[in-house]
Amino acid sequence: MDAFFAAAEQAAKPSLRGKPVVVGGLGPRGVVSTASYEARRFGVHSAMPMGQARRLAPNAAYLVPRFSLYRTVSEQVMELLGRLSPLVEPLSLDEAFVDLEAGGSAHDTASALAAGERLRRDIRVVTGLTGSVGLAGSKMLAKIGSEQAKPDGLVLIEPGTERELLGPMPVRTLPGVGPATGEHLRRAGMTTVAELAEAGEDELVRLLGKAHGASLYRMALGHDDRPVVSERETKSVSVEDTFDVDLHDRVRVRVEVERLADRCVQRLRAAGHSGRTVVLKVRRYDFSTLTRSETLRGPTDDPGVVREAAGRLLESVDTTGGVRLLGVGVTGLADFTQEDLFAQAAAAEQPAPAVPAATSAASNEPTEDAPSSLVEDGSALAREPEAPAERRFPAGHDVRHAEYGAGWVQGSGLRRVTVRFEEPGSAPGRVRTFWTDDPELVLSEPLPLVPLPLVPEPPDSAQSS
């Protein structure tokens, strides 16, 4: 999928179409998850610190991810891939390998091109978004082809042209070559795939070890015999949050751990799993990272049991100096539960920790410091707000107002929230600002995207691609 998170936000928000959009963590320590192609023209890219992105593209729209929307669209795309073949290997929400031969969807170049073009059209019709397709005889080359096809394109890598294509590409193009391996190869005088092939298998084995060196040499020659695996076994479920300001209050740290445990169990149950081992991750003020784990008597998906175990693990960790990241995970997954009655009984005697009403179900990122647009209708601000706890409205998330209907959060801060009232398929909407405690304004679930109109294609377009 093309700039998936950002493209989904543009499709859901008519006023953002054709404009730079950046999705990610909005706090001081946030990073860019996805940037629209309009934002990329300013140099913004994924994994970039959000502060740097704001300096490069100060007028872009900066939004918190809405994973419920992305998962819904992803399921629609994966269902389309499943029609092509029973062998579909998802890599993430927005990317997958498909074995066309196994599904009878392709047996030669022409039928492969036809299947790829049909897939692109179907994705557009069903989701309203665009995807790019790479067609090749192996997973590695299909991945490279899909990158070359972006955005909204299709690339076929003809059999027999692999080495010619790969030769001038940087070594980081190949699977398994990360920053450390790439730097190691650079010091050895190898920066392109052609130079890897010329060095020979013996030299790569000497530099990288037998398994990695031999595998890399084969890939440099264009050989990749990894099969498409339809089911990738889930080994763990986890959630974690990075905090904008280091946590020093031990009670606050405990509350955050218990909140993460509840979120982890929600994911665990959504995946239809239970787990036997609870894992706590703590990154301290000095970036040192500690992990602790506890194995239970049997698999469980009980939030009280996981909360208790995570709390016990926290007791063994020194948080003096501050905590910048916390995570809770469950491993040893199973599809059944063997309830720990003793732990459950203990949990039942103690009420679950109260979660402040101001905490939303979204990620632990702060909202915008101030509304990002001028107030067009100031009537909502005519009264003075009544204190106490402020409700959180993450930028980009959906809301509904009793009078104005559906909209999304354009910005919030200073106990105000700015909302643009529009929805997928509508014209760009008006902006209004409210107090965050306005009882008529509530967070809501994302609305379905509206499919894009199909552009008729000339005959034999697949063959001429």
Side-chain angles (χ1 to χ4, degrees), residues 15 28 96 164 205 212-213 250 266 387:
S15 59
E164 180 183 357
V205 168
H212 196 186
R250 185 77 177 184
Q266 289 175 3

Side-chain angles (χ1 to χ4, degrees), residues 140 144 148 164-178 181-183 185-186 190-196 216 219-220:
M140 174 183 70
I144 291 171
Q148 291 183 329
E164 180 183 357
L165 172 76
L166 289 171
M169 292 184 174
V171 295
R172 291 285 303 276
T173 303
L174 301 182
V177 181
T181 301
E183 176 60 20
L185 292 170
R186 187 194 66 79
M190 304 175 209
T191 59
T192 67
V193 176
E195 289 168 343
L196 293 182
L216 203 57
M219 289 186 177

Side-chain angles (χ1 to χ4, degrees), residues 221-264:
L221 298 179
H223 303 313
D224 176 19
D225 55 5
R226 293 175 300 163
V228 175
V229 181
S230 60
E231 293 186 6
R232 296 161 64 93
E233 181 182 358
T234 302
K235 297 182 178 179
S236 65
V237 174
S238 63
V239 295
E240 61 182 44
D241 275 342
T242 300
F243 304 101
D244 302 319
V245 179
D246 291 348
L247 304 184
H248 295 273
D249 183 347
R250 185 77 177 184
V251 174
R252 170 73 189 283
V253 172
R254 174 69 183 239
V255 169
E256 292 295 338
V257 166
E258 292 174 337
R259 183 177 61 83
L260 288 167
D262 287 342
R263 284 173 52 195
C264 181

Side-chain angles (χ1 to χ4, degrees), residues 133-154:
V133 175
L135 297 165
S138 69
K139 292 167 70 170
M140 174 183 70
L141 293 166
K143 165 76 171 171
I144 291 171
S146 70
E147 294 294 334
Q148 291 183 329
K150 288 185 174 296
D152 192 20
L154 181 148

